[in-house]
């Protein structure tokens, strides 16, 4: 399986126009965004196997309600001070999980002169999600990797797991509200939803 980066960029521009391909900035679409916490009481990091089981169960529940195809796309990030990616910039710690990841795009995340920083996005197609994603989601829960994005092949929905929970972007406000209603007890009590 391989991903066509040009076709993926075309789909992104069609589905998410005017939004950068940076996972942590996607919550800027408030009418389609919802955040769920991975542990009760908004606890950030799991400390036992029982808590890891809760984290993975919540990820699997949300992803199972989203996934309608045999495959999902997984985007992971590597970083450098230049716009040019190279093989050594592939995301550390996930090479064994995303064996066929290809460079998709590079995004300037810090334009400060002399301190420029680029995020290089690598994408892979994964079969048998959500369960095949458990090792990756555990690394995210431990904050060993960050800025992961999971999506269906048409980019109809986006899923950004982070240490502490998941941000989900859906195709409409109605779909967002329906998913939010199914998992109300996992929502933040903060008025902003964070």
């Amino acid at each position: 399986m391989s991903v066509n980066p040009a076709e993926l960029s075309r789909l992104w521009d069609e589905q998410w126009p005017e939004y950068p391909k940076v996972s942590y900035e996607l919550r800027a679409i408030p009418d389609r965004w919802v955040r769920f916490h991975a542990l009760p009481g908004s606890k950030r990091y799991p400390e036992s196997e029982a808590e890891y089981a809760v984290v993975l169960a919540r990820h699997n529940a949300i992803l199972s309600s989203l996934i309608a195809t045999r495959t999902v796309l997984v985007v992971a990030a590597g970083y450098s001070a230049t716009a040019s990616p190279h093989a050594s910039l592939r995301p550390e710690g996930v090479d064994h999980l995303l064996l066929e990841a290809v460079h998709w795009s590079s995004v300037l995340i810090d334009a400060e002169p002399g301190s420029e920083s680029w995020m290089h996005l690598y994408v892979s197609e994964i079969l048998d999600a959500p369960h095949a994603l458990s090792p990756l989601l555990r690394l995210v829960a431990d904050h060993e990797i960050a800025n992961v994005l999971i999506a269906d092949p048409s980019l109809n929905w986006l899923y950004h797991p982070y240490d502490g929970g998941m941000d989900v972007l859906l195709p409409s406000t109605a779909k967002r509200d329906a998913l939010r209603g199914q998992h109300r007890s996992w929502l933040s009590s903060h008025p902003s939803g964070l």
Side-chain angles (χ1 to χ4, degrees):
M1 294 182 293
S2 70
V3 178
N4 179 327
E7 175 62 14
L8 191 58
S9 289
R10 185 195 67 73
L11 279 172
W12 184 275
D13 292 342
E14 183 180 293
Q15 293 284 3
W16 306 98
E18 301 178 25
Y19 291 99
K21 300 173 181 95
V22 179
S23 56
Y24 58 82
E25 291 188 8
L26 292 172
R27 64 178 185 248
I29 313 170
D31 61 327
R32 296 167 65 186
W33 167 79
V34 61
R35 171 171 282 184
F36 297 105
H37 288 175
L39 286 168
S42 300
K43 184 176 179 180
R44 186 118 192 192
Y45 297 103
E47 298 179 60
S48 67
E49 285 306 313
E51 288 184 337
Y52 280 108
V54 171
V55 168
L56 293 176
R58 287 187 179 192
H59 280 295
N60 287 337
I62 301 290
L63 285 166
S64 292
S65 68
L66 298 172
I67 296 171
T69 61
R70 291 193 61 231
T71 63
V72 294
L73 301 177
V74 176
V75 181
Y79 306 88
S80 78
T82 68
S84 301
H86 48 79
S88 65
L89 295 177
R90 286 171 51 99
E92 286 186 41
V94 295
D95 273 352
H96 66 289
L97 300 174
L98 307 177
L99 294 173
E100 299 190 22
V102 296
H103 178 257
W104 171 29
S105 184
S106 294
V107 180
L108 181 64
I109 56 173
D110 187 349
E112 180 75 27
S115 303
E116 292 87 357
S117 183
W118 289 82
M119 181 186 293
H120 304 286
L121 303 174
Y122 295 84
V123 62
S124 186
E125 205 169 28
I126 303 293
L127 281 169
D128 301 322
H131 300 292
L133 298 172
S134 292
L136 176 72
L137 295 170
R138 189 168 173 136
L139 290 172
V140 170
D142 287 338
H143 197 60
E144 291 184 34
I145 60 168
N147 298 315
V148 169
L149 190 63
I150 301 167
D152 73 329
S154 67
L155 301 181
N156 194 42
W157 54 262
L158 304 174
Y159 186 91
H160 168 51
Y162 68 92
D163 55 321
M166 67 261 352
D167 288 329
V168 185
L169 289 110
L170 293 145
S172 69
T173 302
K175 290 187 183 220
R176 187 268 322 259
D177 291 347
L179 185 64
R180 179 188 282 162
Q182 292 171 9
H183 305 285
R184 268 196 199 287
S185 64
W186 302 352
L187 296 170
S188 168
S189 59
H190 192 278
S192 71
L194 291 174

